[in-house]
């Protein structure tokens, strides 16, 4: 969870009357309407917000559509999904293309060509949106949250939001959805809950909404709400972003990949030093531009490795990927348990004289095996499994 934050007008204690200056309100009770948002029942982080109108005023609920998350069983093999071949299409949310999933995670890509039309809420998952390219802001009842290239945007489960891009034709996202809490790695925190001095980022790198947003609009407003594969249309009697103030630790926030301070050594450092987030069933790591190992005889690309109890998904964002060939920005590789993988032939020698690696990549290691979504099949590289042969 990010640090405690408060914005706008809130009363001196929780669950006491928050009286309006005018003495009147929507129901002539003279109050703002309190709303608590809690994680994991009532036992984890929460925020309390104060609305102009009761946040419960649902007029109508309809079925809107369904998302195809069907998967294809394949023989045990690594995959290279060439998402740079995806056509730009759809809205920021409804245009997402699912790539891999298991019960803990769904990973998608989006390259929209239309602004998001309706407010959206994911009922079943926290979302991490990685901004490969693009900029703009996200509106929610917590206010306006600016975002830029290489930001991770973390949207707490159940938060209604609207992405407003500065230039929709520039937007490119990787999206992680999970039913579990998304947290900063516990080992980065001191007993007081503060990020330790040795952690690769700290509180100043984490940005919550920059300004309050209080939309006073007593007209119907549609929220599209995702529930597993179903999209529901919830018609509210008023605009839901009508909050005069809130406080707590549940709110959308950004943290930029390039604010991560890389840890380097004289010899190769293993992937846990790149960890960014932890969640139930997976971790997210970020490989950022960094100095290479300093030992005179250092091998400057990773070990060949058997990821015995994890599947490994790697999204190549930008730069030169020194340990791989045939990979470019937008590539997503998945290496399942049961197969050993590592640097491509020739990359050990090629990297000998290098002192710096200018790469940016997002890695997701999952405890449960990943399944390949049907939508990713048409952009899969059929020759990838044999690309470690010297003559490939
Ligand atoms: Fe690996």
């Amino acid at each position: 969870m990010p640090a405690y934050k408060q914005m706008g007008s809130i009363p001196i204690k929780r669950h006491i009357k928050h009286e309006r200056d005018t003495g009147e309100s929507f129901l002539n009770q003279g109050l703002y309407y309190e709303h608590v948002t809690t994680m994991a029942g009532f036992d984890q982080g929460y925020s309390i917000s104060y609305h102009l109108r009761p946040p419960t005023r649902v007029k109508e609920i309809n079925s809107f559509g369904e998302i195809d998350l069907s998967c294809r069983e394949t023989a045990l093999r690594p995959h290279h999904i060439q998402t740079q071949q995806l056509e730009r299409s759809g809205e920021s949310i409804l245009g997402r293309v699912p790539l891999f999933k298991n019960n803990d995670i769904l990973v998608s890509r989006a390259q929209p060509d239309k602004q998001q039309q309706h407010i959206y809420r994911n009922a079943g998952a926290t979302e991490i949106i990685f901004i490969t390219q693009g900029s703009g802001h996200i509106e929610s009842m917590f206010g306006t949250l600016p975002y830029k290239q290489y930001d991770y945007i973390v949207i707490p489960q159940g938060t209604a939001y609207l992405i407003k891009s500065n230039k929709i034709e520039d937007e490119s996202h990787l999206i992680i959805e999970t039913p579990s809490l998304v947290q900063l790695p516990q080992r980065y925190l001191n007993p007081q809950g503060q990020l330790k001095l040795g952690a690769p980022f700290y509180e100043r790198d984490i940005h919550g909404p920059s300004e309050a947003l209080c939309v006073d609009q007593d007209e119907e407003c549609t929220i599209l709400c995702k529930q597993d594969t179903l999209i529901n249309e919830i018609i509210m009697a008023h605009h839901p972003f009508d909050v005069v103030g809130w406080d707590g630790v549940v709110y959308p926030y950004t943290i930029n990949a390039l604010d991560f301070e890389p840890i380097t050594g004289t010899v190769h450092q293993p992937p846990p030093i790149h960890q960014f987030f932890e969640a139930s069933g997976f971790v997210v790591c970020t490989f950022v531009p960094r100095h290479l190992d300093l030992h005179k005889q250092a091998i400057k690309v990773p070990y060949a490795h058997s990821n015995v109890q994890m599947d490994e998904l790697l999204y190549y964002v930008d730069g030169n990927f020194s340990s791989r060939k045939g990979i470019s920005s937008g590539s997503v590789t998945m290496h399942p348990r049961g197969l050993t993988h590592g640097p491509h032939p020739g990359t050990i020698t090629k990297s000998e004289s290098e002192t710096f690696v200018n790469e940016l990549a997002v890695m997701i290691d999952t405890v449960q095996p990943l399944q390949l979504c049907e939508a990713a099949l048409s952009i899969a590289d059929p020759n990838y499994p044999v690309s470690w042969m010297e003559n490939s």
Side-chain angles (χ1 to χ4, degrees):
M1 292 287 171
Y4 171 84
K5 185 176 175 70
Q6 66 178 57
M7 293 187 82
S9 170
I10 56 175
I12 56 168
K13 277 188 170 291
R14 60 193 166 200
H15 214 48
I16 63 171
K17 288 181 177 178
H18 186 10
E19 292 173 332
R20 298 170 67 126
D21 294 341
T22 60
E24 289 193 356
S25 67
F26 177 71
L27 296 175
N28 293 321
Q29 295 180 108
L31 300 176
Y32 294 115
Y33 296 90
E34 195 179 33
H35 170 199
V36 64
T37 302
T38 66
M39 292 288 142
F42 286 85
D43 210 29
Q44 296 268 351
Y46 63 91
S47 286
I48 300 176
S49 49
Y50 296 87
H51 296 257
L52 297 178
R53 300 175 180 85
T56 44
R57 296 177 71 226
V58 173
K59 279 188 81 173
E60 201 177 316
I61 301 174
N62 303 304
S63 202
F64 184 84
E66 190 162 4
I67 299 168
D68 182 5
L69 290 182
S70 52
C71 287
R72 175 74 60 92
E73 288 294 328
T74 67
L76 184 68
R77 54 168 290 166
H79 295 284
H80 171 201
I81 308 303
Q82 303 162 106
T83 73
Q84 52 278 78
Q85 294 181 4
L86 285 174
E87 286 195 15
R88 179 168 291 282
S89 122
E91 292 184 11
S92 306
I93 306 277
L94 299 179
R96 291 173 177 175
V97 178
L99 304 177
F100 291 96
K101 71 166 192 174
N102 65 26
N103 287 337
D104 297 316
I105 193 168
L106 170 65
V107 178
S108 312
R109 283 271 285 131
Q111 296 190 117
D113 64 357
K114 295 179 201 67
Q115 295 277 8
Q116 186 185 340
Q117 190 184 347
H118 296 294
I119 294 170
Y120 170 77
R121 172 188 290 152
N122 195 329
T126 295
E127 296 188 353
I128 306 173
I129 306 172
F130 179 80
I131 305 296
T132 309
Q133 200 180 335
S135 65
H137 65 272
I138 289 198
E139 294 179 354
S140 73
M141 71 173 183
F142 299 102
T144 302
L145 176 69
Y147 70 86
K148 62 181 185 295
Q149 188 178 35
Y150 305 148
D151 272 351
Y152 287 99
I153 309 171
V154 180
I155 312 270
Q157 183 172 344
T159 303
Y161 71 94
L162 189 65
I163 303 177
K164 290 192 171 175
S165 166
N166 290 337
K167 196 175 175 189
I168 195 68
E169 59 270 30
D170 281 352
E171 295 285 321
S172 176
H173 307 161
L174 178 84
I175 306 99
I176 300 166
E177 297 174 55
T178 176
S180 82
L181 287 174
V182 170
Q183 313 221 59
L184 304 176
Q186 203 62 31
R187 69 178 191 280
Y188 292 173
L189 303 174
N190 64 28
Q192 289 71 41
Q194 184 183 25
L195 284 156
K196 292 178 184 174
L197 284 172
F201 46 71
Y202 76 136
E203 282 78 4
R204 292 185 205 176
D205 299 321
I206 298 169
H207 307 283
S210 61
E211 54 188 88
L213 179 72
C214 184
V215 182
D216 183 3
Q217 192 174 296
D218 198 29
E219 296 166 10
E220 284 185 2
C221 185
T222 297
I223 299 176
L224 297 185
C225 184
K226 184 182 176 198
Q227 166 210 20
D228 195 14
T229 60
L230 300 178
I231 302 287
N232 303 281
E233 180 188 57
I234 300 173
I235 301 175
M236 300 290 299
H238 63 273
H239 200 290
F241 302 161
D242 64 339
V243 167
V244 296
W246 62 271
D247 75 337
V249 299
V250 174
Y251 55 87
Y253 65 92
T254 62
I255 178 167
N256 195 273
L258 298 185
D259 282 332
F260 188 93
E261 293 292 335
I263 297 164
T264 56
T266 58
V267 296
H268 177 70
Q269 301 294 299
I273 58 134
H274 303 283
Q275 191 179 350
F276 222 93
F277 297 108
E278 67 186 16
S280 176
F282 69 95
V283 295
V284 178
C285 300
T286 312
F287 296 89
V288 299
R290 63 195 180 278
H291 289 287
L292 284 168
D293 318 320
L294 293 167
H295 193 284
K296 276 193 294 190
Q297 292 174 294
I299 293 174
K300 297 177 181 176
V301 292
Y303 300 88
H305 56 285
S306 299
N307 36 310
V308 177
Q309 294 181 318
M310 305 287 265
D311 279 3
E312 178 199 294
L313 193 146
L314 198 48
Y315 172 54
Y316 298 84
V317 179
D318 209 354
N320 301 313
F321 309 109
S322 55
S323 65
R324 296 287 169 87
K325 292 175 173 174
I327 296 292
S328 61
S329 297
S331 292
V332 177
T333 60
M334 196 283 275
H335 289 272
R337 65 206 69 198
L339 288 170
T340 300
H341 70 283
H344 269 123
T347 55
I348 293 177
T349 313
K350 186 166 168 276
S351 65
E352 270 176 7
S353 60
E354 293 175 0
T355 57
F356 191 84
V357 60
N358 187 27
E359 69 175 4
L360 183 60
V362 175
M363 186 176 82
I364 303 162
D365 276 5
T366 68
V367 176
Q368 297 300 322
L370 286 165
Q371 293 183 299
L372 178 68
C373 297
E374 287 277 354
L377 272 173
S378 63
I379 49 171
D381 172 5
N383 299 317
Y384 186 62
V386 295
S387 62
W388 281 263
M389 293 304 296
E390 298 75 16
N391 58 356
S392 69

